[in-house]
Amino acid sequence: MMSEENDAGAEDAPPPAYESIHFAADADALPEVPRDGYVKTKTIEVSVTNPTKVGDGLTAYAVYTVSTKNKDPAYKKDESIVVRRYSDFQWLRGRLSTLYPGIVLFPLPEKTVTTNPFQSDFLEHRRSGLEAFMKKVVEHPGLGTCEDVVMFLEEQGGSSWDQRAPWYSRGAVGTALGAVDSWFQSIGTATETWSTGAGMESVMMEEDPKYLEATEYLLLLEERLKRALKSGGEIVNAVQNLGILTGTFGENAHHLGDCEEKGAKMLLGDEAGGLGQAFRQVGSAACTMRAPTEAQAERLAKEFRAPLKQALQYVRAAKESIDARLDALLKLQACRAKVQSKRAKLEHALHAPP
């Protein structure tokens, strides 16, 4: 009975910090890697400012000013200013993801569906997220000076920027076509691996145990963060609703006090109405509590829920690299199986009697 309780407690326990996972030391162990993973580049400074609405109606969109100062010889200009849309940042991240599948890319701000995409608070939130993404890109020694990043930061127009992708791969059309292409690629990979006998079991047998252990930790961390984010959202909503209800109660108590006082004076004279005054005092006190309670909800959302949400985005960004590695390993095994099949056919043909 005691062991069952301990097992249940172990399942519900939070995951340990990654530093607490100790891998077995052996001759083939990887060298120690600093926590940051690389030395940050400090020769490039980038900022994203001035979110501006362009156009009206259904064709309206927002643009952002991207300013760069750098001392790196990979750039043609010491300073540059370009204007970019959110879809341009999406293009850059997708391009880097394709060219550097092993690098965990900082996530872009979520493409939230909103009834007012040009509200100042929404644009500021997106601007801040886009700036954080660009700062992480230019800090990376391998990404900050790559050709596509240089083009993104320096070229407002011109052949290189205009021809970076055909018209049908940009905007909403490009998003839809990209999703269809990704779906067909996943179907193709699944068909190819199934026909050659490659699969998750064979991948697990070939994969590095240390990598599998780190991946398992990451998946567990994602699940715990999702639970924490859900609970955090419920807490913020509860506090916010408490403020609204308290304020509503105060307003109603104040109205009740007015009615009580007027009725008492009509029936009992001008000296009556003490109960109505008491109701008004309670209502005033309740109304004064609304603003601090709603402010507390905002602080909780900013200091508690927002970091959890951002951490979950980081984990999901890391999972992109995990998925890319898994896909590459499946394709590698499929190619090996094809080579072995063709080699067997060739050997059979060479040794077959004339």
Side-chain angles (χ1 to χ4, degrees):
M1 183 67 180
M2 184 65 69
S3 60
E4 292 179 359
E5 293 178 356
N6 292 338
D7 292 341
E11 291 179 358
D12 295 335
Y18 191 73
E19 288 83 349
S20 66
I21 298 179
H22 300 287
F23 299 117
D26 53 47
D28 298 327
L30 294 174
E32 291 293 329
V33 179
R35 183 176 178 84
D36 290 341
Y38 57 86
V39 178
K40 296 180 180 179
T41 301
K42 298 182 179 180
T43 57
I44 307 172
E45 298 179 7
V46 64
S47 63
V48 179
T49 58
N50 194 29
T52 305
K53 178 184 177 182
V54 177
D56 295 301
L58 296 176
T59 60
Y61 59 91
V63 296
Y64 304 83
T65 301
V66 183
S67 306
T68 310
K69 295 181 180 180
N70 72 86
K71 301 177 183 178
D72 197 289
Y75 288 78
K76 300 176 184 178
K77 307 172 185 177
D78 293 337
E79 297 185 12
S80 60
I81 298 177
V82 295
V83 177
R84 296 287 182 247
R85 298 176 58 174
Y86 180 82
S87 58
D88 295 329
F89 290 90
Q90 284 184 308
W91 170 84
L92 178 62
R93 193 178 188 280
R95 181 70 175 163
L96 295 176
S97 178
T98 301
L99 296 176
Y100 305 93
I103 296 178
V104 177
L105 297 172
F106 197 84
L108 290 173
E110 293 178 327
K111 196 168 185 177
T112 308
V113 178
T114 175
T115 56
N116 188 2
F118 305 107
Q119 187 179 10
S120 58
D121 291 343
F122 175 79
L123 290 176
E124 173 57 26
H125 172 73
R126 176 166 285 187
R127 181 211 65 79
S128 177
L130 294 175
E131 183 175 76
F133 166 73
M134 289 308 306
K135 286 183 178 296
K136 291 297 182 181
V137 168
V138 299
E139 284 177 356
H140 195 285
L143 301 180
T145 57
C146 81
E147 182 179 354
D148 292 287
V149 173
V150 173
M151 178 177 65
F152 180 88
L153 293 175
E154 285 192 332
E155 292 193 26
Q156 180 57 59
S159 59
S160 298
W161 178 253
D162 294 337
Q163 296 176 9
R164 72 191 188 280
W167 68 268
Y168 52 79
S169 67
R170 306 174 195 167
V173 176
T175 301
L177 290 178
V180 173
D181 180 65
S182 176
W183 181 75
F184 274 111
Q185 287 184 4
S186 63
I187 292 295
T189 301
T191 303
E192 184 178 10
T193 54
W194 177 81
S195 63
T196 56
M200 288 301 300
E201 184 175 353
S202 57
V203 168
M204 294 301 178
M205 292 177 62
E206 186 173 350
E207 186 57 276
D208 184 352
K210 298 177 182 179
Y211 177 79
L212 290 177
E213 189 174 357
T215 300
E216 183 180 2
Y217 169 81
L218 191 68
L219 296 176
L220 178 61
L221 181 61
E222 180 189 28
E223 183 61 28
R224 299 298 172 85
L225 283 173
K226 286 165 61 176
R227 294 182 188 177
L229 183 59
K230 180 180 178 181
S231 299
E234 292 173 352
I235 292 172
V236 171
N237 291 335
V239 175
Q240 192 171 30
N241 290 335
L242 176 61
I244 295 174
L245 293 174
T246 302
T248 303
F249 167 77
E251 293 172 358
N252 291 332
H254 200 281
H255 292 318
L256 179 61
D258 289 339
C259 294
E260 172 65 25
E261 184 176 3
K262 290 179 181 178
K265 287 184 177 181
M266 289 177 59
L267 295 174
L268 303 176
D270 293 339
E271 296 181 357
L275 181 60
Q277 294 177 5
F279 274 127
R280 282 208 305 272
Q281 290 176 356
V282 171
S284 298
C287 287
T288 58
M289 293 174 61
R290 177 170 183 170
T293 305
E294 291 181 343
Q296 183 183 13
E298 292 181 3
R299 287 196 302 271
L300 284 171
K302 182 179 180 180
E303 300 175 6
F304 178 62
R305 184 177 61 183
L308 288 173
K309 186 175 182 179
Q310 191 173 47
L312 185 59
Q313 290 177 336
Y314 294 161
V315 170
R316 288 173 175 170
K319 283 181 63 181
E320 292 177 2
S321 295
I322 293 176
D323 293 339
R325 179 183 174 104
L326 175 61
D327 184 66
L329 191 52
L330 284 171
K331 290 180 178 178
L332 175 62
Q333 291 183 343
C335 289
R336 285 176 180 169
K338 282 186 176 181
V339 170
Q340 292 175 358
S341 176
K342 291 182 178 181
R343 181 181 289 116
K345 290 181 180 179
L346 179 60
E347 292 289 337
H348 178 74
L350 291 175
H351 293 89

